[in-house]
Amino acid sequence: MTGALLELDSVSKTFTRGGLFSRTQVEAVIDVSFRLEAAKPEIFSIIGESGSGKSTLARIILALQTPTRGVARFKGRDLATLRDGADRHAFMAAVQPVFQNPFEAFNPLKRLDRYLYATCQRFAGAKTETAMQEGADKALRQVGLSLAEVKGRYPHELSGGQLQRVAIARALASGPSLLIADEPVSMVDASLRASIVNLFRKLRDELGLSIIYITHDLATAYSISDRIIIMQKGQVVESGDARTILADPKHPYSRTLKESVLEPLAPGERPLFAR
Amino acid sequence: MSAAMRNPAAKPETADGPVVAVRDLRAWYRLRLFGVDREVKAVDGITFEVRKDEIYGLAGESSSGKSTLVKTIAGAMRPPLEIVGGEIQFSFMDGTMGLNRAPADLVERVRWRHLSYVMQGSMSVLNPVRRIGTSFFDFAFRHMGLDKAGFEAAVVAHLARVNLPASVLKAYPHELSGGMRQRVTIALATICRPQFIIADEPTTALDVVVQKDVLAMFRSIQREMASSVLFVTHDMGVHAHLTDRLGIMYAGRLVEEARTPDVFARPRHPYTRHLIHSLPRIGDDRPRSGLEGTPPSLANPPSGCRFHPRCAFATERCRVEVPPMEQVAPDHRVACFEKDRVEATP
């Protein structure tokens, strides 16, 4: 297939706050445009602090919110024209979210395999129990787990890293072409973070999946992204190749952001807050 | 505090000893329900001390027991958590059990005056229906021994130290930004000039740019008051830039402790080593690997060294014996049988 997988064309979103007399407008996303090619799967990072509009942008891409101005298109289809029914169903199968906190994303009283079965049944056309189990197992194997490890388990029985893998497997079960991962590693322990990051890279290379990685963590964004955009107060202040931008950010805000990242010291470097 | 003591070249050991010394502390969650005993050994044999005028960092992942350790030291224990053994000694009070067995009136006098606490969620620390000024009054008035006017002047002067205007005293917590609120909680914790401050993930909820400012301010206040700080966070980047000494916890035990630069330059425990090598850095394209295996369950921890199932250096001895914490260099302690082999491996 040729053309754009996802295309945002000067998308803006304005929220209105207040009542009859004191109405204020909050511009969460202002004039954002970018394009992901269908033929070239990539990891595309959206970087920004809280309040920079990155989560609103994610909601627009997931068609949970319609832009106030501009158009968001997925495979050529304007997302604002999606209605409930077959169209939306097909869209949901193709674009799947992974959330920040796997402990909150899953119901603590519901067994994890149920989520996978439900997704397989609804989006992958699995009719029989065997087909659902096969689908769940296939998705779990893609993230380095297996159905035998997850079957009958509740969320509290797995570690944060494993649980986030299950969340990714659930998203993969519908056979998507785009994954929206909103801060997927910030709740995962540091020693397990690298394995989730490596998993995203593997999904891109082996399954040809495009991933939109939303984060405020420049270091992980640097290690996995192909392209990035940096957002401040709803606006894209810098965009392009990840390595080029993060090696030498041009915009003052990107520079502040990069300087604020606390990294382990190189030999001979002085700590920022030395005594 | 004399200038010489703050000089990094001076010996860190001061004549007046550590502000808090924890010896072989064991604090377990013990549940006895319907004849079933369940013990979760969240803190299992920890020995360390926080010296005068230093920031001692404590790093560890979720469920490594760092919050339990902090609660035990702060005397904020609730059943089923109980101290099974060991000692906590503060320089500012008698007794070897810290605040845990002390009479209520003594705890009342010591807390906030000598020992204070900065918590993670500033929104849940500050009472949402009381103005900031009232919160200051609630926390600190009786410890300061000042009249109302004097107290207010002291609060305003102290707020200036954390770069907050006096007008925040009239504000409610929700009217302030996250960074301002966290600065308010730091001001609250430091207004009585306590000798010992516990900071549990104080900047984790903040954005990177704000975090940098808050940490810089935290260090300058600490320097000015020469307090001792126990700084808990899982963020190794924060430890690298802020703390003087660093202890690494794994599954309820301390596995390594050294001056912070030494931990990063010469880690001798395989877990510390992995933790540091797995950190991504901007401008460094080497692939990183995650730790294999699952984090240990504290209800049923692995035998011997608790890290052995995930350790590349593990031997038969590690499966059976618990490695003791041993001094390997000045101010550097490690609990690992294979520490020499770990150090020799590039």
Side-chain angles (χ1 to χ4, degrees):
Chain A
M1 185 179 155
T2 53
L5 179 70
L6 179 77
E7 192 182 9
L8 263 65
D9 191 3
S10 17
V11 164
S12 301
K13 177 77 191 173
T14 311
F15 293 105
T16 307
R17 211 160 51 174
L20 208 50
F21 302 107
S22 61
R23 188 163 288 195
T24 50
Q25 303 241 305
V26 180
E27 292 191 85
V29 173
I30 307 163
D31 212 12
V32 173
S33 305
F34 63 81
R35 187 183 154 99
L36 303 188
E37 298 298 335
K40 199 169 132 274
E42 62 176 328
I43 299 177
F44 184 85
S45 292
I46 303 176
I47 300 172
E49 294 184 83
S50 43
S52 62
K54 55 192 197 312
S55 291
T56 306
L57 201 55
R59 292 177 64 83
I60 291 172
I61 298 168
L62 285 165
L64 298 171
Q65 227 139 34
T66 47
T68 319
R69 290 184 303 281
V71 188
R73 287 189 206 91
F74 180 76
K75 289 186 176 166
R77 173 75 189 261
D78 184 352
L79 295 182
T81 65
L82 280 180
R83 296 282 170 264
D84 288 342
D87 273 359
R88 188 162 199 101
H89 194 263
F91 172 76
M92 283 163 78
V95 181
Q96 281 281 331
V98 175
F99 297 104
Q100 177 172 15
N101 190 345
F103 294 98
E104 285 175 6
F106 290 111
N107 179 345
L109 300 176
K110 191 166 161 180
R111 297 204 312 254
L112 289 166
D113 47 352
R114 304 261 154 175
Y115 285 96
L116 289 148
Y117 296 158
T119 313
C120 287
Q121 191 180 22
R122 210 161 158 224
F123 293 109
K127 299 270 190 304
T128 62
E129 191 135 331
T130 339
M132 286 195 276
Q133 291 192 356
E134 270 168 22
D137 193 48
K138 182 169 162 251
L140 285 165
R141 285 188 189 280
Q142 284 165 347
V143 300
L145 293 167
S146 68
L147 186 60
E149 289 171 74
V150 175
K151 199 172 182 181
R153 306 288 283 273
Y154 289 92
H156 72 267
E157 295 178 74
L158 300 184
S159 73
Q162 283 175 313
L163 212 51
Q164 195 61 289
R165 276 165 191 273
V166 175
I168 295 166
R170 191 217 50 79
L172 294 177
S174 71
S177 43
L178 179 64
L179 221 55
I180 317 288
D182 193 349
E183 302 267 8
V185 295
S186 65
M187 298 299 289
V188 175
D189 284 333
S191 68
L192 301 168
R193 222 171 263 182
S195 56
I196 301 274
V197 166
N198 292 342
L199 172 63
F200 280 134
R201 203 179 282 130
K202 186 180 141 228
L203 295 176
R204 175 196 63 190
D205 296 342
E206 291 178 9
L207 299 181
L209 204 61
S210 282
I211 297 165
I212 294 186
Y213 177 69
I214 300 172
T215 188
H216 64 260
D217 178 4
L218 265 69
T220 56
Y222 177 87
S223 71
I224 60 166
S225 317
D226 300 306
R227 281 195 296 154
I228 60 167
I229 56 174
I230 298 178
M231 290 184 73
Q232 182 194 21
K233 293 177 184 157
Q235 267 165 322
V236 175
V237 296
E238 202 158 353
S239 68
D241 177 64
R243 309 251 173 275
T244 325
I245 290 188
L246 289 175
D248 181 25
K250 295 281 184 287
H251 192 274
Y253 176 74
S254 322
R255 281 194 195 156
T256 318
L257 212 56
K258 190 188 167 189
E259 279 159 16
S260 306
V261 176
L262 300 177
E263 289 190 319
L265 305 171
E269 209 181 332
R270 252 180 84 72
L272 282 169
F273 319 116
R275 28 204 311 116
Chain B
M1 183 59 43
S2 70
M5 255 175 187
R6 262 180 258 134
N7 181 352
K11 259 174 80 89
E13 287 89 346
T14 54
D16 24 10
V19 168
V20 55
V22 173
R23 273 179 225 102
D24 195 27
L25 186 68
R26 274 165 291 144
W28 299 355
Y29 294 86
R30 276 182 161 171
L31 284 167
R32 281 187 202 89
L33 283 175
F34 310 113
V36 178
D37 283 9
R38 199 177 131 92
E39 281 172 348
V40 177
K41 300 171 182 176
V43 170
D44 203 22
I46 285 187
T47 302
F48 75 102
E49 49 186 51
V50 181
R51 295 170 189 155
K52 220 172 147 77
D53 189 17
E54 76 163 351
I55 300 187
Y56 184 95
L58 200 58
E61 312 195 318
S62 41
S63 78
S64 62
K66 53 190 197 311
S67 293
T68 307
L69 179 62
V70 162
K71 274 188 214 161
T72 314
I73 294 172
M77 292 171 50
R78 295 269 178 287
L81 177 61
E82 55 182 282
I83 294 188
V84 179
E87 293 180 351
I88 304 171
Q89 218 161 8
F90 291 115
S91 65
F92 44 81
M93 65 183 278
D94 297 332
T96 56
M97 283 319 295
L99 291 171
N100 291 298
R101 312 251 163 95
D105 63 319
L106 180 64
V107 173
E108 186 82 341
R109 264 181 288 135
V110 165
R111 251 198 212 145
W112 231 257
R113 182 79 197 84
H114 298 284
L115 179 155
S116 69
Y117 200 165
V118 186
M119 269 167 278
Q120 180 172 7
S122 54
M123 200 63 209
S124 45
V125 173
L126 299 167
N127 190 333
V129 294
R130 283 169 98 74
R131 293 179 198 274
I132 302 293
T134 325
S135 285
F136 267 96
F137 192 85
D138 294 344
F139 273 97
F141 183 68
R142 62 217 149 99
H143 297 299
M144 300 277 285
L146 296 168
D147 58 22
K148 264 198 165 162
F151 177 72
E152 213 167 306
V155 170
V156 170
H158 191 66
L159 283 175
R161 264 190 213 121
V162 297
N163 302 323
L164 285 173
S167 58
V168 301
L169 291 173
K170 295 266 171 285
Y172 286 99
H174 72 265
E175 295 176 295
L176 306 177
S177 70
M180 282 172 99
R181 271 204 303 272
Q182 203 58 43
R183 274 185 277 171
V184 167
T185 57
I186 291 172
L188 260 176
T190 48
I191 184 151
C192 301
R193 309 180 80 88
Q195 284 103 315
F196 184 49
I197 302 165
I198 298 171
D200 190 0
E201 307 262 7
T203 59
T204 307
L206 302 178
D207 281 322
V208 281
V209 180
V210 183
Q211 163 171 289
K212 192 178 162 195
D213 292 346
V214 170
L215 290 176
M217 187 215 77
F218 194 79
R219 174 55 109 177
S220 76
I221 290 230
Q222 182 274 333
R223 199 184 292 145
E224 191 197 321
M225 306 194 311
S227 313
S228 305
V229 179
L230 178 62
F231 197 98
V232 183
T233 177
H234 65 270
D235 188 338
M236 295 300 280
V238 172
H239 282 302
H241 286 275
L242 180 74
T243 58
D244 298 317
R245 288 194 304 144
L246 179 57
I248 310 281
M249 275 184 86
Y250 184 80
R253 291 190 187 135
L254 215 51
V255 294
E256 184 157 10
E257 177 195 73
R259 291 189 197 122
T260 306
D262 294 342
V263 174
F264 283 91
R266 278 180 297 282
R268 309 223 188 171
H269 194 280
Y271 174 67
T272 318
R273 203 181 130 90
H274 179 88
L275 205 57
I276 286 159
H277 288 186
S278 74
L279 295 170
R281 293 177 63 106
I282 297 175
D284 184 349
D285 288 332
R286 275 178 304 148
R288 303 292 198 271
S289 62
L291 205 52
E292 296 298 318
T294 48
S297 151
L298 290 168
N300 185 20
S303 61
C305 172
R306 290 181 175 177
F307 188 59
H308 85 254
R310 306 169 85 186
C311 180
F313 297 90
T315 62
E316 195 47 47
R317 191 182 179 196
C318 306
R319 279 177 259 281
V320 187
E321 272 181 71
V322 178
M325 200 70 166
E326 282 170 343
Q327 186 106 16
V328 291
D331 273 345
H332 197 149
R333 295 189 297 149
V334 185
C336 180
F337 292 125
E338 300 296 324
K339 52 185 174 287
D340 298 330
R341 204 146 63 85
V342 175
E343 210 201 349
T345 313

